[in-house]
Amino acid sequence: MLSVLALLAAGLGVFASAAPANAAGLTQVSSFGSNPGNLAMYEYAPANLPAGAPLVVALHGCTQSASDYFANSGWQKYADLWGFALVLPQTSATNNSLSCFSWFDSTKDTRGKGEAASVLSMVTTAKSQYGSDAQRVYVTGLSAGGGMTADLLADYPDVFAGGSVDSGLPAQCATTQTAASQCQYGSLNLTPAQWGDKVRASDPGYGGPWPRVAIWQGTSDTTVQPVNATELRDQWTNAWGISQTASSTQSLPGGTTLSVYNDPQGSPAVELYQISGMSHGLAVDPGSGTEQCGSTGTYYIDTICSSYYTARFWGLDGSGGGGGGTGSLPAPTGLAVTSATDTAVSLSWTAVTGAASYTVYRNGTAAGTASGTSFTDSGLTAGTSYTYTVAAVDSSGKAGPASAAVTAKTTGGGGGSGACFTDNNYNQVAAGRAHQSGGYAYADGSNQNMGLWNVFTVHTLKQTGTDSYVIADGTC
């Protein structure tokens, strides 16, 4: 008979061999306070990350490492694109022979104990280091890391504003190693209230607000049975005190069905992403598009970029949250800043077929509507940066998912007379402020080399004349 650890090897991820923990940009933090769980801390932040940015904790699966997850999951792309810091905890064979996070051990995965307490120490350290927004701390994880993610959300609902459980298990599904296989391969047959009680018991006396939770599951997963996703849905909707009947459903790429469960104010509280035919692993979608991410490999499955939709559900793109939107239309593409003055910013984007109108968001809040594919936001403050997204509104009045974000800075305010535009190199070229040659982007007029023509490299361009721009990173 297989031992429980052998079951865990088959079940919660015998993944591809781990990469060394020195992926480009990933840094180990040797001292981060109390570490009763004997974990290692790794972190990443894009250059010039301002204070007040979000923080995302990402947990790897069994036999993986922090650098493996960093390299393949796609989270670095969105940290660079939308501006947030990453913390990647790492366990080891010293803790568990398969380097699994101990989601099944109540001495290690409960509030104030073991690995859970170590992750909290990392969060505290990172918030202090980066000046992170304490109201925008999130956690995500794959498989065993997903099980620990659910536990952390229940343990510290006062710390984490949201979470994403990828091919994982409900909070406190198992409290001993012996019970772990029943959670993986079967069902405990609990009611939503009983699942919710496990959350409430993890931090007695806490009454909300609860984290917003995304759940990702392949329908052909034989390692962590799909019933776990349903049980996660039951658990967190019950914690929120909302119905287990979806407020809306939507079809997404990769054979994905999104079911949204709204809070009493009508905002998404729980989102369940079910991917038809996908086996056990993390959903990725390699490519250069904003909605694409990650690298394929063993247990990194080419279907849809889960990190993109999760980040948008949390509002990390400036849309205000709701990864899939509730409308029937896709996110607009090609959003670009066309001009800026000291009091106004003008935008344009590509039309969405079937759109009755568009809602434009400034810094995550609706700034206005447009019947066409352009909008001018006026009454702004001189010399100030603003982040914009846009969503298509269908004939029923429901807005779909928001576009990728762009940033513009109004002129004046001591910042010079030229308009400033902060965006990735791909969008700078698309907006006509730069051009590409040989895979590199160059600022129009000055021909300054901006680096690779992709969505990862971000620069601020300052307009110095008609069709003329210079790189003005950190000075505009």
Side-chain angles (χ1 to χ4, degrees):
M1 180 179 292
L2 290 175
S3 68
V4 172
L5 280 179
L7 283 170
L8 289 170
L12 288 187
V14 177
F15 295 93
S17 59
N22 60 355
L26 193 62
T27 303
Q28 184 171 8
V29 179
S30 58
S31 178
F32 53 89
S34 177
N35 186 19
N38 190 35
L39 301 180
M41 175 182 177
Y42 293 84
E43 65 180 11
Y44 172 81
N48 302 314
L49 182 70
L55 175 67
V56 173
V57 179
L59 301 166
H60 64 78
C62 299
T63 75
Q64 289 183 309
S65 68
S67 61
D68 177 60
Y69 204 65
F70 179 76
N72 291 282
S73 65
W75 278 107
Q76 181 190 2
K77 172 175 179 174
Y78 300 111
D80 290 339
L81 186 61
W82 292 327
F84 54 86
L86 291 170
V87 167
L88 291 98
Q90 180 174 288
T91 187
S92 68
T94 302
N95 289 352
N96 177 282
S97 62
L98 297 168
S99 298
C100 303
F101 286 105
S102 300
W103 61 271
F104 46 82
D105 187 337
S106 60
T107 68
K108 299 178 180 179
D109 68 353
T110 51
R111 186 178 175 96
K113 296 181 181 179
E115 295 173 12
S118 292
V119 172
L120 182 64
S121 293
M122 296 180 199
V123 169
T124 301
T125 296
K127 287 196 299 184
S128 176
Q129 177 183 353
Y130 296 116
S132 305
D133 183 347
Q135 304 304 311
R136 293 193 293 167
V137 179
Y138 306 91
V139 60
T140 181
L142 168 63
S143 199
M148 181 60 80
T149 292
D151 290 338
L152 288 166
L153 291 170
D155 294 341
Y156 301 108
D158 53 335
V159 173
F160 296 106
S164 179
V165 182
D166 296 82
S167 301
L169 307 102
Q172 299 304 320
C173 184
T175 57
T176 66
Q177 196 167 292
T178 304
S181 60
Q182 183 180 356
C183 293
Q184 283 180 242
Y185 302 117
S187 171
L188 299 189
N189 296 313
L190 301 182
T191 66
Q194 288 172 317
W195 281 119
D197 286 345
K198 289 180 178 291
V199 171
R200 289 180 284 270
S202 296
D203 187 11
Y206 183 81
W210 297 102
R212 298 186 183 274
V213 181
I215 303 156
W216 290 84
Q217 182 70 47
T219 63
S220 297
D221 191 338
T222 57
T223 298
V224 173
Q225 289 289 332
V227 68
N228 284 280
T230 303
E231 292 170 340
L232 277 160
R233 184 273 316 275
D234 290 351
Q235 182 171 67
W236 288 101
T237 53
N238 182 265
W240 272 85
I242 58 179
S243 173
Q244 286 75 57
T245 300
S247 305
S248 65
T249 59
Q250 184 177 351
S251 295
L252 297 177
T256 304
T257 299
L258 166 61
S259 300
V260 180
Y261 304 83
N262 289 340
D263 66 15
Q265 288 70 48
S267 297
V270 177
E271 292 193 341
L272 172 59
Y273 298 80
Q274 295 168 298
I275 306 173
S276 179
M278 193 182 90
S279 57
H280 188 66
L282 183 73
V284 297
D285 181 20
S288 60
T290 302
E291 75 287 356
Q292 294 179 290
C293 75
S295 302
T296 56
T298 304
Y299 296 99
Y300 293 101
I301 302 172
D302 188 356
T303 48
I304 182 174
C305 174
S306 56
S307 299
Y308 168 76
Y309 286 91
T310 294
R312 291 184 56 255
F313 170 52
W314 295 337
L316 299 183
D317 64 336
S319 67
T326 59
S328 59
L329 301 176
T333 59
L335 178 63
V337 179
T338 54
S339 66
T341 67
D342 58 350
T343 61
V345 168
S346 293
L347 307 163
S348 67
W349 55 89
T350 302
V352 174
T353 301
S357 63
Y358 300 87
T359 299
V360 178
Y361 299 91
R362 180 202 322 120
N363 297 337
T365 302
T369 60
S371 58
T373 58
S374 63
F375 178 81
T376 297
D377 189 23
S378 57
L380 304 178
T381 302
T384 303
S385 294
Y386 297 93
T387 299
Y388 292 93
T389 58
V390 61
V393 179
D394 62 24
S395 58
S396 69
K398 294 181 178 180
S403 68
V406 296
T407 301
K409 186 175 183 179
T410 50
T411 59
S417 60
C420 296
F421 307 89
T422 301
D423 212 330
N424 63 67
N425 283 355
Y426 182 88
N427 283 343
Q428 296 281 26
V429 171
R433 296 185 289 268
H435 56 279
Q436 70 91 13
S437 177
Y440 288 85
Y442 298 87
D444 285 352
S446 68
N447 281 323
Q448 290 178 303
N449 190 329
M450 299 163 58
L452 291 173
W453 179 49
N454 59 25
V455 298
F456 306 102
T457 307
V458 177
H459 285 295
T460 297
L461 295 182
K462 182 176 182 178
Q463 188 167 11
T464 58
T466 303
D467 297 325
S468 182
Y469 301 83
V470 296
I471 297 174
D473 296 336
T475 64
C476 199

